[in-house]
Amino acid sequence: MPNKILAFDAYYFDDKAKTVCLEFEKWNEDKNFKVYSEIIDNVAEYIPGEFYKRELPCILSLLQQMDLSEIEVIVVDGFVYLDDEKKYGLGGYLYEKLNKKIPIIGVAKTNFASIEKNKKALFRGDSKKPLYITSIGIDLEEAFSKIESMHGEFRFPTLLKELDRLTKEN
């Protein structure tokens, strides 16, 4: 049975992207994880509302280093849906590219006003600013409780904070 959780993030500089993935097995993990990393040249320009065109190729490229049959779920930095008609964001497009076989949970730092029904605001620690959770291939309540159960007493779970740090380091 698939038991690996993957979390992806990318950092853009010049016309490059550094994509990092953490692989772990328990939602409340804080230190046992494996790191995958890759730098890609000639990344697409950022287009508002079409962020997936920039980040999706980076994630798909890094996924080639992994055995997809072992993956239980993938966490992305961003939204699965962009509106209540379920227009795909990064997570939705990734789900399609993986033939709808691996559930995707989107964890976004900033709100996207055009989506109300298919997202949940998660307040962690003492933070007054929520994380916005969306999902596909997994029930939103279940996705929410998984992110909520992640290690760390602050707004960002420990591993997602580490992921962010790793994308930005040289």
Side-chain angles (χ1 to χ4, degrees):
M1 187 173 141
N3 67 336
K4 291 186 177 15
I5 303 157
L6 302 182
F8 281 90
D9 198 4
Y11 179 71
Y12 302 93
F13 58 98
D14 304 326
D15 65 341
K16 298 175 173 46
K18 179 180 180 185
T19 310
V20 177
C21 172
L22 298 189
E23 174 188 287
F24 50 102
E25 292 186 14
K26 294 187 179 78
W27 284 100
N28 62 352
E29 189 59 72
D30 66 335
K31 53 189 169 294
N32 292 317
F33 57 87
K34 185 173 178 183
V35 178
Y36 296 88
S37 178
E38 180 176 64
I39 293 177
I40 296 179
D41 288 314
N42 304 313
V43 179
E45 284 294 307
Y46 171 70
I47 302 165
E50 296 186 357
F51 171 68
Y52 73 93
K53 288 184 177 174
R54 187 174 210 202
E55 191 140 330
L56 187 61
C58 302
I59 292 174
L60 291 172
S61 176
L62 195 51
L63 274 171
Q64 291 174 0
Q65 297 181 28
M66 300 165 216
D67 178 356
L68 297 185
S69 71
E70 296 181 344
I71 300 166
E72 175 190 330
V73 66
I74 295 174
V75 178
V76 295
D77 177 19
F79 283 89
V80 168
Y81 299 117
L82 300 181
D83 64 23
D84 288 330
E85 280 68 61
K86 298 192 172 182
K87 176 184 179 201
Y88 281 165
L90 173 63
Y93 285 105
L94 179 58
Y95 186 67
E96 287 288 331
K97 287 284 188 192
L98 299 174
N99 299 316
K100 303 181 181 178
K101 287 187 166 74
I102 301 172
I104 311 293
I105 300 174
V107 178
K109 297 175 201 69
T110 51
N111 196 5
F112 209 74
S114 57
I115 176 173
E116 289 176 22
K117 291 192 304 233
N118 299 304
K119 77 175 175 204
K120 273 194 86 168
L122 171 60
F123 291 89
R124 287 178 46 98
D126 296 330
S127 180
K128 303 286 180 259
K129 288 185 73 179
L131 296 172
Y132 297 95
I133 311 302
T134 53
S135 66
I136 188 169
I138 179 176
D139 178 72
L140 181 57
E141 292 295 330
E142 187 183 345
F144 179 90
S145 65
K146 287 182 184 309
I147 301 301
E148 188 177 41
S149 74
M150 289 183 81
H151 181 274
E153 57 192 83
F154 302 108
R155 181 178 180 219
F156 293 113
T158 304
L159 290 190
L160 298 187
K161 195 172 185 75
E162 177 65 7
L163 178 61
D164 185 63
R165 188 188 70 75
L166 289 170
T167 61
K168 295 179 175 110
E169 88 178 2
N170 292 333

